[in-house]
Amino acid sequence: MKIDGVAYRTIWLAKDGWSVDIIDQTKAPHDFAVARLTSLEAAAHAIRAMLVRGAPLIGATAAYGVALALRADPSDAALEQACTLLLATRPTAVNLRWALERMRRHLSALPPAERAAAAYAEAAAVADEDVAINRSIGEHGAALIRQVARGKKPGEPVNVLTHCNAGWLATVDWGTALAPIYVAFEEGINLHVWVDETRPRNQGASLTAWELNHHGVPHTVIVDNVGGHLMQHGMVDLCIVGTDRTTATGDVCNKIGTYLKALAAHDNGVPFYVALPSPTIDWGMADGVKEIPIEERDPREVTELTGITADGRIETIRVTPAGSPAANYGFDVTPARLVTGLVTERGVCPATEAGLLGLFPEQRAVA
Ligand code: MRU
């Protein structure tokens, strides 16, 4: 996508031909900064500290992390160590494991002397495939928005609610939940996006709002508790969210608070769609609530807020009484029964095992 007319991805090979550049998302929305990764450890840190985040981008960064590791040491031991270190950075997004398994499978079959070059090529393939997949999700999801638009009076926008950031910053490009919005917007469909702020890290208020702002898509930031009220008053036509891991049965794990939006949508008859690239499907899992590991992060993300002051300084303040403990669960699971449909690169399907296998029949052998 473009920033002030310049096309960007979230991760790319630097001009030196081996370092990896990323957009440092911890600086957004008040600054646009590019960070350079020159080692395995730097890639692991970028994922852990959320310079990069969002399930697909975590996977792509891990793939480049393996390439950086093998450039320094292409041995079997180094490959294993790199995968182990990277896998431990964040527990919930299954794209991380998917990317590392793909890299390990591809590279362990090669002689060590060929591994570094092959790792860079495979990481680039992971990144390019993510872009193509997300573009396709955009096309399939836009059809849902188009359908709603047909029932609108002239001048009336389609109101879409989204949670967290599942836009291009969460992927290599295009995004998942926001891809249909970008495609529909480019088509000229009149739409408006309700952006959940998404406490505690505010990926909605800081990243989704930033993306939509740069693209000129009409949007309004709301606090996380507003969605139910809007739905009761007919002010949301559909919800589209992303996911960090979706089970083979259609249970959807996504940023904390997604479940409450799905419950409100269900109660108010608002369609609730989940956009996902196939590497986000955990084909080996059946019960999302019981089985998906939920990340718990530093409680200071709850007790503190960071923002920009009127005179342009970035400051962090505490919002809770000193000494009050806080809990910081990063994700929750929305059971499949609350999901209207899954929007994948191969089309839209019911959030069921049969629905997913209908689009991905090659997984029947695995299921
Ligand atoms: O903690 P984050 O910012 O990595 O969480 C991101 C999300 O929950 C996204 O909705 C999800 O990764 C889907 S991204 C296309």
Side-chain angles (χ1 to χ4, degrees), residues 200-223:
R201 287 186 67 100
N202 291 317
Q203 289 96 326
S206 57
L207 304 177
T208 300
W210 183 85
E211 278 192 30
L212 295 175
N213 218 11
H214 272 278
H215 211 80
V217 180
H219 64 283
T220 307
V221 180
I222 49 176
V223 298

PDB file of all heavy atoms in Angstrom, residues 200-223:
ATOM      1  N   PRO A 200      -5.324  -3.596  25.156  1.00  0.00           N
ATOM      2  CA  PRO A 200      -4.527  -2.519  25.754  1.00  0.00           C
ATOM      3  C   PRO A 200      -3.521  -1.855  24.804  1.00  0.00           C
ATOM      4  O   PRO A 200      -3.079  -0.748  25.097  1.00  0.00           O
ATOM      5  CB  PRO A 200      -3.767  -3.245  26.863  1.00  0.00           C
ATOM      6  CG  PRO A 200      -3.572  -4.622  26.331  1.00  0.00           C
ATOM      7  CD  PRO A 200      -4.836  -4.923  25.549  1.00  0.00           C
ATOM      8  N   ARG A 201      -3.146  -2.474  23.696  1.00  0.00           N
ATOM      9  CA  ARG A 201      -2.079  -1.877  22.890  1.00  0.00           C
ATOM     10  C   ARG A 201      -2.605  -0.947  21.797  1.00  0.00           C
ATOM     11  O   ARG A 201      -1.826  -0.355  21.056  1.00  0.00           O
ATOM     12  CB  ARG A 201      -1.195  -2.964  22.281  1.00  0.00           C
ATOM     13  CG  ARG A 201      -0.290  -3.641  23.310  1.00  0.00           C
ATOM     14  CD  ARG A 201       0.660  -4.606  22.639  1.00  0.00           C
ATOM     15  NE  ARG A 201       1.621  -3.936  21.794  1.00  0.00           N
ATOM     16  CZ  ARG A 201       2.878  -3.672  22.130  1.00  0.00           C
ATOM     17  NH1 ARG A 201       3.327  -4.048  23.316  1.00  0.00           N
ATOM     18  NH2 ARG A 201       3.692  -3.065  21.298  1.00  0.00           N
ATOM     19  N   ASN A 202      -3.942  -0.869  21.715  1.00  0.00           N
ATOM     20  CA  ASN A 202      -4.541   0.117  20.800  1.00  0.00           C
ATOM     21  C   ASN A 202      -4.171  -0.053  19.328  1.00  0.00           C
ATOM     22  O   ASN A 202      -3.997   0.927  18.598  1.00  0.00           O
ATOM     23  CB  ASN A 202      -4.182   1.539  21.254  1.00  0.00           C
ATOM     24  CG  ASN A 202      -4.874   1.896  22.541  1.00  0.00           C
ATOM     25  OD1 ASN A 202      -6.063   1.602  22.710  1.00  0.00           O
ATOM     26  ND2 ASN A 202      -4.160   2.486  23.472  1.00  0.00           N
ATOM     27  N   GLN A 203      -4.115  -1.295  18.879  1.00  0.00           N
ATOM     28  CA  GLN A 203      -3.781  -1.498  17.457  1.00  0.00           C
ATOM     29  C   GLN A 203      -4.838  -0.891  16.532  1.00  0.00           C
ATOM     30  O   GLN A 203      -4.534  -0.534  15.410  1.00  0.00           O
ATOM     31  CB  GLN A 203      -3.638  -3.006  17.156  1.00  0.00           C
ATOM     32  CG  GLN A 203      -2.413  -3.659  17.755  1.00  0.00           C
ATOM     33  CD  GLN A 203      -2.723  -4.316  19.072  1.00  0.00           C
ATOM     34  OE1 GLN A 203      -3.550  -3.832  19.830  1.00  0.00           O
ATOM     35  NE2 GLN A 203      -2.056  -5.417  19.374  1.00  0.00           N
ATOM     36  N   GLY A 204      -6.089  -0.818  17.023  1.00  0.00           N
ATOM     37  CA  GLY A 204      -7.130  -0.196  16.205  1.00  0.00           C
ATOM     38  C   GLY A 204      -6.925   1.311  16.139  1.00  0.00           C
ATOM     39  O   GLY A 204      -6.822   1.895  15.050  1.00  0.00           O
ATOM     40  N   ALA A 205      -6.830   1.932  17.323  1.00  0.00           N
ATOM     41  CA  ALA A 205      -6.718   3.397  17.392  1.00  0.00           C
ATOM     42  C   ALA A 205      -5.433   3.892  16.749  1.00  0.00           C
ATOM     43  O   ALA A 205      -5.408   4.970  16.140  1.00  0.00           O
ATOM     44  CB  ALA A 205      -6.780   3.836  18.849  1.00  0.00           C
ATOM     45  N   SER A 206      -4.351   3.122  16.885  1.00  0.00           N
ATOM     46  CA  SER A 206      -3.086   3.642  16.367  1.00  0.00           C
ATOM     47  C   SER A 206      -2.758   3.125  14.966  1.00  0.00           C
ATOM     48  O   SER A 206      -2.236   3.876  14.152  1.00  0.00           O
ATOM     49  CB  SER A 206      -1.943   3.333  17.334  1.00  0.00           C
ATOM     50  OG  SER A 206      -1.846   1.959  17.570  1.00  0.00           O
ATOM     51  N   LEU A 207      -3.055   1.861  14.662  1.00  0.00           N
ATOM     52  CA  LEU A 207      -2.611   1.295  13.378  1.00  0.00           C
ATOM     53  C   LEU A 207      -3.713   1.275  12.321  1.00  0.00           C
ATOM     54  O   LEU A 207      -3.509   1.727  11.193  1.00  0.00           O
ATOM     55  CB  LEU A 207      -2.058  -0.126  13.593  1.00  0.00           C
ATOM     56  CG  LEU A 207      -0.907  -0.238  14.614  1.00  0.00           C
ATOM     57  CD1 LEU A 207      -0.498  -1.690  14.798  1.00  0.00           C
ATOM     58  CD2 LEU A 207       0.281   0.615  14.185  1.00  0.00           C
ATOM     59  N   THR A 208      -4.893   0.741  12.687  1.00  0.00           N
ATOM     60  CA  THR A 208      -5.989   0.696  11.701  1.00  0.00           C
ATOM     61  C   THR A 208      -6.395   2.116  11.310  1.00  0.00           C
ATOM     62  O   THR A 208      -6.572   2.418  10.117  1.00  0.00           O
ATOM     63  CB  THR A 208      -7.180  -0.094  12.276  1.00  0.00           C
ATOM     64  OG1 THR A 208      -6.731  -1.416  12.565  1.00  0.00           O
ATOM     65  CG2 THR A 208      -8.346  -0.156  11.300  1.00  0.00           C
ATOM     66  N   ALA A 209      -6.524   2.980  12.305  1.00  0.00           N
ATOM     67  CA  ALA A 209      -6.901   4.372  12.009  1.00  0.00           C
ATOM     68  C   ALA A 209      -5.841   5.023  11.124  1.00  0.00           C
ATOM     69  O   ALA A 209      -6.163   5.746  10.173  1.00  0.00           O
ATOM     70  CB  ALA A 209      -7.072   5.146  13.310  1.00  0.00           C
ATOM     71  N   TRP A 210      -4.588   4.746  11.393  1.00  0.00           N
ATOM     72  CA  TRP A 210      -3.487   5.316  10.589  1.00  0.00           C
ATOM     73  C   TRP A 210      -3.576   4.837   9.143  1.00  0.00           C
ATOM     74  O   TRP A 210      -3.477   5.621   8.198  1.00  0.00           O
ATOM     75  CB  TRP A 210      -2.155   4.903  11.227  1.00  0.00           C
ATOM     76  CG  TRP A 210      -0.943   5.466  10.571  1.00  0.00           C
ATOM     77  CD1 TRP A 210      -0.367   6.691  10.808  1.00  0.00           C
ATOM     78  CD2 TRP A 210      -0.132   4.822   9.579  1.00  0.00           C
ATOM     79  NE1 TRP A 210       0.745   6.835  10.014  1.00  0.00           N
ATOM     80  CE2 TRP A 210       0.915   5.702   9.252  1.00  0.00           C
ATOM     81  CE3 TRP A 210      -0.182   3.589   8.938  1.00  0.00           C
ATOM     82  CZ2 TRP A 210       1.892   5.391   8.315  1.00  0.00           C
ATOM     83  CZ3 TRP A 210       0.789   3.272   8.007  1.00  0.00           C
ATOM     84  CH2 TRP A 210       1.813   4.177   7.705  1.00  0.00           C
ATOM     85  N   GLU A 211      -3.791   3.547   8.987  1.00  0.00           N
ATOM     86  CA  GLU A 211      -3.907   2.978   7.629  1.00  0.00           C
ATOM     87  C   GLU A 211      -5.068   3.605   6.861  1.00  0.00           C
ATOM     88  O   GLU A 211      -4.922   4.038   5.721  1.00  0.00           O
ATOM     89  CB  GLU A 211      -4.196   1.467   7.698  1.00  0.00           C
ATOM     90  CG  GLU A 211      -3.007   0.601   7.900  1.00  0.00           C
ATOM     91  CD  GLU A 211      -3.365  -0.876   7.660  1.00  0.00           C
ATOM     92  OE1 GLU A 211      -4.267  -1.167   6.851  1.00  0.00           O
ATOM     93  OE2 GLU A 211      -2.735  -1.720   8.284  1.00  0.00           O
ATOM     94  N   LEU A 212      -6.244   3.605   7.501  1.00  0.00           N
ATOM     95  CA  LEU A 212      -7.442   4.090   6.809  1.00  0.00           C
ATOM     96  C   LEU A 212      -7.315   5.575   6.487  1.00  0.00           C
ATOM     97  O   LEU A 212      -7.711   6.039   5.418  1.00  0.00           O
ATOM     98  CB  LEU A 212      -8.694   3.811   7.648  1.00  0.00           C
ATOM     99  CG  LEU A 212      -9.009   2.317   7.863  1.00  0.00           C
ATOM    100  CD1 LEU A 212     -10.196   2.149   8.814  1.00  0.00           C
ATOM    101  CD2 LEU A 212      -9.311   1.609   6.540  1.00  0.00           C
ATOM    102  N   ASN A 213      -6.720   6.298   7.419  1.00  0.00           N
ATOM    103  CA  ASN A 213      -6.476   7.724   7.231  1.00  0.00           C
ATOM    104  C   ASN A 213      -5.609   7.967   5.999  1.00  0.00           C
ATOM    105  O   ASN A 213      -5.930   8.795   5.147  1.00  0.00           O
ATOM    106  CB  ASN A 213      -5.743   8.230   8.478  1.00  0.00           C
ATOM    107  CG  ASN A 213      -6.210   9.597   8.875  1.00  0.00           C
ATOM    108  OD1 ASN A 213      -7.197  10.105   8.370  1.00  0.00           O
ATOM    109  ND2 ASN A 213      -5.467  10.194   9.775  1.00  0.00           N
ATOM    110  N   HIS A 214      -4.507   7.208   5.881  1.00  0.00           N
ATOM    111  CA  HIS A 214      -3.604   7.381   4.744  1.00  0.00           C
ATOM    112  C   HIS A 214      -4.265   7.000   3.434  1.00  0.00           C
ATOM    113  O   HIS A 214      -3.898   7.507   2.384  1.00  0.00           O
ATOM    114  CB  HIS A 214      -2.334   6.551   4.939  1.00  0.00           C
ATOM    115  CG  HIS A 214      -1.294   7.313   5.702  1.00  0.00           C
ATOM    116  ND1 HIS A 214      -0.459   8.218   5.109  1.00  0.00           N
ATOM    117  CD2 HIS A 214      -0.999   7.330   7.010  1.00  0.00           C
ATOM    118  CE1 HIS A 214       0.320   8.768   6.014  1.00  0.00           C
ATOM    119  NE2 HIS A 214       0.013   8.247   7.187  1.00  0.00           N
ATOM    120  N   HIS A 215      -5.232   6.093   3.510  1.00  0.00           N
ATOM    121  CA  HIS A 215      -5.884   5.623   2.291  1.00  0.00           C
ATOM    122  C   HIS A 215      -7.136   6.446   1.973  1.00  0.00           C
ATOM    123  O   HIS A 215      -7.754   6.260   0.933  1.00  0.00           O
ATOM    124  CB  HIS A 215      -6.242   4.141   2.463  1.00  0.00           C
ATOM    125  CG  HIS A 215      -6.213   3.392   1.177  1.00  0.00           C
ATOM    126  ND1 HIS A 215      -5.060   2.947   0.598  1.00  0.00           N
ATOM    127  CD2 HIS A 215      -7.206   3.039   0.323  1.00  0.00           C
ATOM    128  CE1 HIS A 215      -5.329   2.346  -0.539  1.00  0.00           C
ATOM    129  NE2 HIS A 215      -6.633   2.391  -0.736  1.00  0.00           N
ATOM    130  N   GLY A 216      -7.531   7.291   2.899  1.00  0.00           N
ATOM    131  CA  GLY A 216      -8.714   8.131   2.663  1.00  0.00           C
ATOM    132  C   GLY A 216     -10.036   7.418   2.879  1.00  0.00           C
ATOM    133  O   GLY A 216     -11.079   7.868   2.389  1.00  0.00           O
ATOM    134  N   VAL A 217     -10.019   6.298   3.608  1.00  0.00           N
ATOM    135  CA  VAL A 217     -11.267   5.555   3.853  1.00  0.00           C
ATOM    136  C   VAL A 217     -11.986   6.182   5.058  1.00  0.00           C
ATOM    137  O   VAL A 217     -11.395   6.281   6.148  1.00  0.00           O
ATOM    138  CB  VAL A 217     -10.983   4.060   4.148  1.00  0.00           C
ATOM    139  CG1 VAL A 217     -12.287   3.311   4.389  1.00  0.00           C
ATOM    140  CG2 VAL A 217     -10.185   3.425   3.017  1.00  0.00           C
ATOM    141  N   PRO A 218     -13.254   6.595   4.902  1.00  0.00           N
ATOM    142  CA  PRO A 218     -13.974   7.185   6.035  1.00  0.00           C
ATOM    143  C   PRO A 218     -14.040   6.214   7.218  1.00  0.00           C
ATOM    144  O   PRO A 218     -14.366   5.037   7.025  1.00  0.00           O
ATOM    145  CB  PRO A 218     -15.378   7.459   5.475  1.00  0.00           C
ATOM    146  CG  PRO A 218     -15.195   7.493   3.988  1.00  0.00           C
ATOM    147  CD  PRO A 218     -14.076   6.550   3.685  1.00  0.00           C
ATOM    148  N   HIS A 219     -13.725   6.693   8.383  1.00  0.00           N
ATOM    149  CA  HIS A 219     -13.705   5.809   9.557  1.00  0.00           C
ATOM    150  C   HIS A 219     -13.905   6.625  10.823  1.00  0.00           C
ATOM    151  O   HIS A 219     -13.703   7.842  10.826  1.00  0.00           O
ATOM    152  CB  HIS A 219     -12.394   5.032   9.639  1.00  0.00           C
ATOM    153  CG  HIS A 219     -11.201   5.924   9.845  1.00  0.00           C
ATOM    154  ND1 HIS A 219     -10.641   6.657   8.829  1.00  0.00           N
ATOM    155  CD2 HIS A 219     -10.486   6.220  10.971  1.00  0.00           C
ATOM    156  CE1 HIS A 219      -9.626   7.354   9.308  1.00  0.00           C
ATOM    157  NE2 HIS A 219      -9.520   7.117  10.608  1.00  0.00           N
ATOM    158  N   THR A 220     -14.290   5.934  11.887  1.00  0.00           N
ATOM    159  CA  THR A 220     -14.452   6.561  13.197  1.00  0.00           C
ATOM    160  C   THR A 220     -13.882   5.612  14.242  1.00  0.00           C
ATOM    161  O   THR A 220     -14.228   4.432  14.253  1.00  0.00           O
ATOM    162  CB  THR A 220     -15.954   6.798  13.510  1.00  0.00           C
ATOM    163  OG1 THR A 220     -16.543   7.515  12.422  1.00  0.00           O
ATOM    164  CG2 THR A 220     -16.135   7.564  14.806  1.00  0.00           C
ATOM    165  N   VAL A 221     -13.017   6.121  15.109  1.00  0.00           N
ATOM    166  CA  VAL A 221     -12.458   5.303  16.187  1.00  0.00           C
ATOM    167  C   VAL A 221     -13.437   5.300  17.352  1.00  0.00           C
ATOM    168  O   VAL A 221     -13.978   6.341  17.728  1.00  0.00           O
ATOM    169  CB  VAL A 221     -11.086   5.857  16.647  1.00  0.00           C
ATOM    170  CG1 VAL A 221     -10.516   4.997  17.772  1.00  0.00           C
ATOM    171  CG2 VAL A 221     -10.105   5.914  15.476  1.00  0.00           C
ATOM    172  N   ILE A 222     -13.695   4.114  17.891  1.00  0.00           N
ATOM    173  CA  ILE A 222     -14.596   3.994  19.039  1.00  0.00           C
ATOM    174  C   ILE A 222     -13.890   3.203  20.142  1.00  0.00           C
ATOM    175  O   ILE A 222     -12.987   2.421  19.847  1.00  0.00           O
ATOM    176  CB  ILE A 222     -15.924   3.263  18.652  1.00  0.00           C
ATOM    177  CG1 ILE A 222     -15.619   1.967  17.880  1.00  0.00           C
ATOM    178  CG2 ILE A 222     -16.829   4.178  17.858  1.00  0.00           C
ATOM    179  CD1 ILE A 222     -16.852   1.146  17.550  1.00  0.00           C
ATOM    180  N   VAL A 223     -14.306   3.406  21.375  1.00  0.00           N
ATOM    181  CA  VAL A 223     -13.720   2.586  22.438  1.00  0.00           C
ATOM    182  C   VAL A 223     -14.315   1.178  22.331  1.00  0.00           C
ATOM    183  O   VAL A 223     -15.354   0.968  21.706  1.00  0.00           O
ATOM    184  CB  VAL A 223     -13.926   3.190  23.853  1.00  0.00           C
ATOM    185  CG1 VAL A 223     -13.252   4.550  23.956  1.00  0.00           C
ATOM    186  CG2 VAL A 223     -15.383   3.248  24.243  1.00  0.00           C
TER     187      VAL A 223
END
